[in-house]
Each structure stands twice: as structure tokens, then as C-alpha cells.
Amino acid sequence: MRTKIVAGNWKMHKNAEETEDLLNELINKLPNDKEVQIIVAPTFINLASAVEHLEFTNIGVAAQNMHQAENGAYTGEISADMLQSVGVNTVILGHSERRAYFGETDAIISFKVDTAIKHNMSVIFCFGEELKDRQDKQHFNIVENQLRDGLFHLDKTSWENIVLAYEPVWAIGTGETASPEQAQEMHEFIRETVRKSYGNDIADNVSILYGGSVKPDNAKEIFGKPDVDGGLIGGAALKADDFAAIINAI
Ligand code: PEP
């Protein structure tokens, strides 16, 4: 059975005190009786305190990014070992904001995936087309290429560490959501693309999350689609009530 997952990407929001406040709210408000893996991804400097804070809860912690090198002269960067040393074993890679604003290419992201796998970390691998790709009817090609270039060099065992997060760029932070039908159509395509290269076992067991303006009022319909296994949530993850409502929609 596929794992249902709801992950909150906090992006560059919340200082140390605000992080603690939101975590306390989440501890009080998030359900702990649902078959769903809950993850939050605060900023790098608040990861260690988040791990400590959430130690006896059902909420896991992920990093929003990491560098592909083991260590070295990479000013401002964070390695897999550093994340693991504070108890973080999950990392979001390939987010569209990393691709758009920080020049992360499929090749760089694939190196990052390799490093994470080498460290036996779980990867939430983000990908998705831009508006123009969809208007040009290239969205399936783009998504297939991102998958191939980022992940399809992996061996079968490594897929145990992979969660896919389809995030159409035109729906991120815009209030514009893919319709449940558009999400299902793409998720099914993604699963079939994985199936062609890796077979039934991996295709049927990989969790595929949807991300892009998921809110309490649209989560149930999106999560109700058969190939949608949960969500990667941006804006709505910063409000405990909204994040709780989204989790309860699973
Ligand atoms: C995201 O940043 O991954 C995201 C899905 O953001 P939002 O929910 O705000 O669209």
C-alpha cells in the first residue's frame, strides 16, 4: 500500500520564535489518529530545534534543500551529513523555486538525489511544468524529461527512498490550482512512466504528492483522486488550522 503523505514547505518564513510557536500550534491541532505521514520543512537554522521539539510527536522534519557535495568550499551551503547530524533524514529536492531562482538544473538535482540516497535519506523530488509548457501542450514531455534526467538513473532499491511531488509551476503560490482531473491525469501519467522503466512494484508503491495552492477547500477533491497520495503544501502549511484541515482531508 502506498504511504499517504502531507508535507509542509515553510520556505523562507518564520524566525526561531515563530517556528516554535507554529510547532506548538501544530502539536495541538494536527490529527494523530490518521494513516498519514506528516512532515514539516522549516528553514535550515530552525531544523535542529524543530527536531527536538517534535521528538515525541507524529510529525517528521525535512530540509528544503541541501548541497550535493559531502563538504568543502561551498560558502553558505549545507551538506547531507550536517542535516543528519541534527536528526533530519528527509530532504525536498528540485523545488521549482530552487530551479527558477538558484539555477538548479536537472543535472544538479540528480547529483543531489545521489548524495541523499548515499546517505540513506528520503527525498521528496519536486518537478512540474511551467504555464507556457502547458499552453504549448508540452507538459507531459517536460515532466517525463524531468523524471528521466533527475531520477531514472537510480537502481530499483533506491526508489524506496523516493517520494514524487508533482507541482505545476503555474499553480505554486498563485492561488491557481490544477483541477482534480488535471492532477489525476498527470499523476497517472507519472505512475505509468515509472512503470515503463521500473515495473509494477515500484510504480504501484511510489507516493506521488500534488503541490500547488492546495487549501482546506480544495484538498478533499484533489486527494480523492486515485493516483494522488497526498500533498506538498506551501502557503497553507503556515497556518496550523489550514494545515490540520488539509491533513484531515486525506
Ligand atoms: C510549494 O511551494 O511547494 C507549494 C505547493 O506552494 P503553495 O501551496 O503555496 O502553492
Side-chain angles (χ1 to χ4, degrees), residues 62-66 83 89-93 116 121-125:
Q64 299 173 20
N65 180 35
M66 65 171 220
L83 294 177
N89 289 296
T90 302
V91 61
I92 298 171
L93 294 177
M121 295 177 76
S122 296
V123 173
I124 300 176
F125 178 86

Side-chain angles (χ1 to χ4, degrees), residues 9 11 95-97 126 167 171-176 210-215 232-237:
N9 173 13
K11 309 192 184 188
H95 192 278
S96 62
E97 287 150 17
C126 303
E167 299 205 301
I172 295 183
T174 58
E176 186 84 33
Y210 171 78
S213 298
V214 177
K215 306 278 183 247
L232 180 54
I233 318 299

Side-chain angles (χ1 to χ4, degrees), residues 173-235:
T174 58
E176 186 84 33
T177 326
S179 68
E181 292 70 31
Q182 284 173 318
Q184 168 57 25
E185 182 186 39
M186 184 57 91
H187 281 225
E188 189 179 351
F189 171 78
I190 291 163
R191 202 175 298 287
E192 293 318 305
T193 304
V194 173
R195 194 182 309 282
K196 276 187 217 146
S197 290
Y198 287 98
N200 290 339
D201 199 31
I202 288 174
D204 290 336
N205 284 300
V206 67
S207 297
I208 310 178
L209 314 185
Y210 171 78
S213 298
V214 177
K215 306 278 183 247
D217 59 0
N218 60 19
K220 200 164 190 71
E221 250 198 299
I222 295 171
F223 294 165
K225 293 294 176 190
D227 285 298
V228 178
D229 305 307
L232 180 54
I233 318 299

Side-chain angles (χ1 to χ4, degrees), residues 28-241:
N28 288 327
K29 292 184 175 173
L30 298 193
N32 52 20
D33 56 350
K34 288 191 79 83
E35 290 280 304
V36 55
Q37 193 179 334
I38 303 170
I39 297 170
V40 293
T43 57
F44 279 133
I45 59 159
N46 293 309
L47 287 173
S49 67
V51 168
E52 264 184 49
H53 220 83
L54 297 173
E55 190 178 354
F56 299 109
T57 73
N58 63 333
I59 307 170
V61 178
Q64 299 173 20
N65 180 35
M66 65 171 220
H67 197 271
Q68 61 272 28
E70 291 297 332
N71 50 50
Y74 300 104
T75 301
E77 291 292 332
I78 303 281
S79 72
D81 174 61
M82 290 168 193
L83 294 177
Q84 293 192 296
S85 71
V86 296
V88 175
N89 289 296
T90 302
V91 61
I92 298 171
L93 294 177
H95 192 278
S96 62
E97 287 150 17
R98 299 295 318 170
R99 294 175 188 258
Y101 307 142
F102 301 96
E104 291 197 12
T105 60
D106 288 330
I108 293 171
I109 296 159
S110 117
F111 281 132
K112 293 188 178 204
V113 169
D114 288 344
T115 304
I117 299 282
K118 189 171 150 214
H119 283 258
N120 200 22
M121 295 177 76
S122 296
V123 173
I124 300 176
F125 178 86
C126 303
F127 59 106
E129 82 283 1
E130 295 183 21
L131 182 58
K132 178 147 190 350
D133 304 324
R134 190 162 272 265
Q135 287 166 339
D136 293 346
K137 304 204 179 340
Q138 290 303 308
H139 44 299
F140 292 116
N141 288 339
I142 296 287
V143 159
E144 184 170 351
N145 287 339
Q146 287 173 328
L147 280 172
R148 287 197 185 289
D149 294 347
L151 292 181
F152 278 20
H153 61 288
L154 295 178
D155 61 20
K156 283 191 171 186
T157 320
S158 301
W159 276 77
E160 284 169 21
N161 294 39
I162 301 292
V163 170
L164 301 176
Y166 168 61
E167 299 205 301
V169 179
W170 47 272
I172 295 183
T174 58
E176 186 84 33
T177 326
S179 68
E181 292 70 31
Q182 284 173 318
Q184 168 57 25
E185 182 186 39
M186 184 57 91
H187 281 225
E188 189 179 351
F189 171 78
I190 291 163
R191 202 175 298 287
E192 293 318 305
T193 304
V194 173
R195 194 182 309 282
K196 276 187 217 146
S197 290
Y198 287 98
N200 290 339
D201 199 31
I202 288 174
D204 290 336
N205 284 300
V206 67
S207 297
I208 310 178
L209 314 185
Y210 171 78
S213 298
V214 177
K215 306 278 183 247
D217 59 0
N218 60 19
K220 200 164 190 71
E221 250 198 299
I222 295 171
F223 294 165
K225 293 294 176 190
D227 285 298
V228 178
D229 305 307
L232 180 54
I233 318 299
L238 296 169
K239 295 184 196 124
D241 287 321

